[in-house]
Amino acid sequence: MSRPNDLSFRRWLDPITERVLAGGAVTPEEARVMLDAEGPDTFDLFAAANRVRAAFQGADIHLCSIVNAKSGSCSEDCGFCSQSAHFDTSIPEYGFLDKEEVLEHAEASLARGSQALGIVAAWRGLRKGKQLDVVLERIRDLASVEGIRADASLGLIEDPDIPGLLKEAGLVTYNHNLETSRRHFPEVCGTHDYDARVTTLQLLKGAGLRTCSGGIFGMGEERDDRVDLAFELKALDVDVVPMNFLNPMEGTPLADQTPLGPMECLKTIAMFRFVLPTKELMVAGGREVNLRDLQPLMFVAGASATMAGHYLTSTGRSTRDDWQMIRDLEMDYRPEGAPRPPG
């Protein structure tokens, strides 16, 4: 469905916005039209998405942090990832962090105002045995830190017993991104299929864990793929949706991919807000490279969270700058026990 020629973009969008604010939903066709907005229409789209965010998320911003708990030598061939053993990226390689290192990262996350720390490991996934025993111990260590939520991103899960063990250890949220649409996924990864990722999220959800899943945009996908991903995540009823924008890493198959422009990123955020009005939208990796000076507009376009500190194999921007950005927008943060950062 395209927008009728006799309607301006704003006149077309206003009733859709009111429908969503009243608890209704957008269609895939309507979401696709949003991505075609140009010129002044884009700012009408951002303003409408901002109303939806304010209605369902308020004026507060969540922060979370991650720690690369195990780096390099991953068996999977995800084309965006510098930690894959299939590519020559020259990143540091090390084994799983010990207790003291995890606790140090937890304290650092608290100091920057993050409400959660995600333990991330570069490998195919979790299986019962020594590997899982170590993971469960580190989750217990993290969960013991007052004021910080224990989250993790540890790859595929095939054993239905494992999500329950993670929850018993104190895990609250598990991240496993779908990355892109089902159609485009084979262009990105060949060592496992899309259904393996979907199954992982279903097992986690069934065990009562919060699920965090999103994607990376700018990997050569079409706009239709972004819409398809948004609706796939809606069907899975995930709780948090990280929106990453490709920061091409040297040595990976996507190293020469041209980053998306800031306005394309912002339109994608706004479309996701309309499709997923009640969910946490977290802008994460690549925002500095793709959004550049327009980073504050990610919240105006509908985002309700962002990642503070460094990413897995690339650096983030100053937490002090992030907090100044949030203050300048007259927004605040949701501490949930975390101290307010100074300044």
Side-chain angles (χ1 to χ4, degrees):
M1 184 195 80
S2 60
R3 174 167 56 92
N5 292 331
D6 61 339
L7 285 182
S8 68
F9 183 82
R10 183 168 182 176
R11 286 182 60 202
W12 171 82
L13 184 62
D14 282 349
I16 296 173
T17 305
E18 295 303 321
R19 185 204 311 155
V20 172
L21 290 171
V26 299
T27 67
E29 293 80 10
E30 290 168 338
R32 180 63 179 81
V33 172
M34 292 176 186
L35 295 180
D36 290 334
E38 295 180 348
D41 291 345
T42 58
F43 291 93
D44 288 334
L45 176 63
F46 302 161
N50 191 45
R51 288 182 61 202
V52 175
R53 177 200 54 75
F56 292 103
Q57 297 288 325
D60 299 329
I61 300 300
H62 270 140
L63 293 183
C64 77
S65 298
I66 57 175
V67 53
N68 195 13
K70 181 265 178 191
S71 180
S73 300
C74 181
S75 63
E76 305 308 284
D77 66 351
C78 303
F80 54 83
C81 185
S82 60
Q83 300 198 70
S84 172
H86 295 259
F87 317 134
D88 182 13
T89 59
S90 302
I91 65 162
E93 295 185 7
Y94 52 81
F96 212 77
L97 299 184
D98 60 26
K99 176 179 179 177
E100 289 70 24
E101 291 170 310
V102 169
L103 294 179
E104 287 176 6
H105 282 283
E107 294 298 332
S109 298
L110 278 171
R112 66 174 67 99
S114 293
Q115 65 164 181
L117 176 65
I119 297 175
V120 183
W123 52 35
R124 178 180 173 84
L126 289 176
R127 295 179 179 177
K128 289 177 181 175
K130 183 177 180 181
Q131 174 210 51
L132 179 60
D133 293 341
V134 172
V135 165
L136 294 174
E137 188 61 35
R138 293 293 83 79
I139 291 172
R140 294 187 192 101
D141 296 334
L142 178 56
S144 71
V145 180
E146 184 177 356
I148 199 79
R149 190 180 73 218
D151 292 352
S153 181
L154 303 165
L156 297 169
I157 295 177
E158 299 172 343
D159 188 329
D161 293 337
I162 289 178
L165 296 173
L166 295 171
K167 186 176 181 181
E168 289 175 8
L171 189 74
V172 178
T173 308
Y174 193 101
N175 164 261
H176 192 64
N177 290 335
L178 293 183
E179 305 302 6
T180 187
S181 71
R182 182 179 293 274
R183 183 200 69 82
H184 188 62
F185 187 79
E187 302 298 320
V188 175
C189 179
T191 48
H192 62 269
D193 62 22
Y194 205 72
D195 284 328
R197 292 183 175 244
V198 170
T199 298
T200 295
L201 292 169
Q202 291 170 335
L203 290 174
L204 294 162
K205 196 82 173 177
L209 287 164
R210 277 167 42 98
T211 50
C212 171
S213 185
I216 302 175
F217 306 98
M219 297 193 294
E221 77 281 357
E222 299 176 2
R223 285 174 171 173
D224 287 342
D225 292 308
R226 297 175 204 160
V227 173
D228 289 347
L229 174 60
F231 279 89
E232 185 92 46
L233 295 168
K234 179 180 179 178
L236 290 166
D237 192 30
V238 299
D239 300 288
V240 182
V241 180
M243 302 187 69
N244 303 280
F245 298 95
L246 183 68
N247 179 8
M249 305 300 290
E250 185 176 352
T252 66
L254 296 177
D256 296 328
Q257 190 75 32
T258 301
L260 293 179
M263 297 300 281
E264 188 70 19
C265 297
L266 293 168
K267 287 190 291 184
T268 302
I269 294 169
M271 180 271 289
F272 265 65
R273 174 51 69 200
F274 271 95
V275 176
L276 301 154
T278 65
K279 305 302 184 182
E280 187 85 272
L281 295 189
M282 179 179 66
V283 178
R287 61 182 169 101
E288 298 85 358
V289 173
N290 291 262
L291 290 172
R292 299 190 287 277
D293 289 344
L294 299 191
Q295 284 187 72
L297 290 182
M298 65 186 180
F299 300 119
V300 176
S304 53
T306 193
M307 190 169 289
H310 297 320
Y311 306 112
L312 295 178
T313 59
S314 61
T315 58
R317 79 177 201 156
S318 161
T319 303
R320 184 174 297 276
D321 289 343
D322 280 342
W323 274 107
Q324 189 61 57
M325 171 177 66
I326 293 169
R327 295 188 189 102
D328 287 346
L329 288 167
E330 298 183 359
M331 292 178 168
D332 207 341
Y333 77 115
R334 309 177 203 183
E336 296 187 8
R340 179 185 295 276

